[in-house]
Amino acid sequence: DSNALEELVAKDKLVVAPMLISIGLYSNFWGGMSDTFYYERTEEYRKILDRKMAGCFEVPMVHTCVLMDLRHSESDFLTFLPENIPSYPGPRDDIIVFALSAKDRDIPMHVCNDHHYGALMIPLEDDQELETDKQILIYTLMEVTARSDPVAVDPVFSRHLPEPLAKTKLGVDEVYL
């Protein structure tokens, strides 16, 4: 969405993220966080993800694509480094550190699903190969196409793509969609 940045700035939130879709139930926010600071699925998560509730919602974690309003002095306390948080209680994980630094300072994090902002790929596990990443990309593009307008290839990348296959009727008289 070419207007995504303007739309997010207009939300006037210190920390705000556009909800990004992906394969299955993966996204760039958490609906809940456990007492041990890890992901916890909530009923609200699914409602936000499926857009049964639309708007901007306070959540315990946003990651991957986040807009921070640095004009607020409170933003100085947001960090991805555990050593910047006195008596840091959580695991050494950058997104958890970021979420806990916001929580420690009572800075709410928001995710907005009022527009189709885009998509993200699920991350590879340590033992997965690059070929798996290619398959995830294909599945992600199919998911995006099913939920919104097809992804257009930027001309900068078109020279890296194979030539499109010739359109056929697959040996039948007509094809109806």
Side-chain angles (χ1 to χ4, degrees), residues 53-69:
M53 297 176 4
C56 291
F57 304 94
E58 191 172 326
V59 294
M61 164 80 74
V62 291
H63 61 85
T64 307
C65 181
V66 179
L67 178 66
M68 293 179 280
D69 189 342

Side-chain angles (χ1 to χ4, degrees), residues 13-15 58-60 72-79 85 97-110:
K13 308 271 187 213
L14 181 57
V15 178
E58 191 172 326
V59 294
H72 295 271
S73 60
E74 296 93 348
S75 68
D76 293 344
F77 299 104
L78 297 171
T79 185
I85 301 174
V97 172
F98 180 63
L100 292 179
S101 73
K103 182 178 180 184
D104 190 43
R105 293 293 183 160
D106 294 320
I107 299 171
M109 302 177 106
H110 297 87

Side-chain angles (χ1 to χ4, degrees), residues 70-131:
L70 301 179
R71 296 172 296 182
H72 295 271
S73 60
E74 296 93 348
S75 68
D76 293 344
F77 299 104
L78 297 171
T79 185
F80 290 95
L81 302 172
E83 54 271 15
N84 292 343
I85 301 174
S87 304
Y88 176 72
R92 191 165 188 84
D93 181 294
D94 59 342
I95 65 172
I96 294 174
V97 172
F98 180 63
L100 292 179
S101 73
K103 182 178 180 184
D104 190 43
R105 293 293 183 160
D106 294 320
I107 299 171
M109 302 177 106
H110 297 87
V111 66
C112 299
N113 69 354
D114 51 344
H115 297 282
H116 290 276
Y117 288 104
L120 78 159
M121 291 175 46
I122 59 173
L124 283 180
E125 298 294 331
D126 290 338
D127 61 343
Q128 290 179 307
E129 299 292 327
L130 186 58
E131 189 58 38

Side-chain angles (χ1 to χ4, degrees), residues 157-170:
F157 301 109
S158 59
R159 68 184 175 106
H160 301 286
L161 297 175
E163 290 295 320
L165 298 174
K167 294 181 181 179
T168 73
K169 292 186 181 178
L170 304 171

